[in-house]
Amino acid sequence: NLSAAEVELKIGICYMHLNDYKNSLICFDNFCSNYPNESSGYYYRANVYNLNNNSAKAINDLNKAIELNSNKPQHFLMR
């Protein structure tokens, strides 16, 4: 069974893959607010910012993701 946090994150990922960045950002914003110590929300939100050519916000979120969890190489690769 998935937790509420996992469901919220997966819905945001689905929106991102559907190119619905507005709703994807809403999901990831909520996730980051509700789970501020979880790096995944920042990583995925950075992906959406990057897709929207907002590199400054993407880098800020990637830095936060790395700060929270430096064991995930994808955080560094995207930055």
Side-chain angles (χ1 to χ4, degrees), residues 40-66:
S40 298
Y42 298 99
Y43 170 74
Y44 286 111
R45 189 169 68 181
N47 275 283
V48 175
Y49 286 143
N50 189 46
L51 290 167
N52 282 313
N53 297 313
N54 193 336
S55 58
K57 285 187 175 184
I59 290 170
N60 285 339
D61 272 1
L62 288 171
N63 287 339
K64 182 66 175 178
I66 290 167

Side-chain angles (χ1 to χ4, degrees), residues 2 7-8 13 19-20 31 34 41 52 63 74:
L2 296 175
V7 170
E8 189 166 24
I13 293 168
N19 299 324
D20 185 346
F31 185 88
N34 293 328
N52 282 313
N63 287 339
Q74 65 267 31

Side-chain angles (χ1 to χ4, degrees), residues 3-10 12 24-45:
S3 69
E6 292 170 313
V7 170
E8 189 166 24
L9 194 64
K10 290 189 184 298
S24 182
L25 280 175
I26 290 169
C27 290
F28 296 140
D29 285 345
N30 289 338
F31 185 88
C32 291
S33 292
N34 293 328
Y35 309 97
N37 296 318
E38 176 56 51
S39 66
S40 298
Y42 298 99
Y43 170 74
Y44 286 111
R45 189 169 68 181

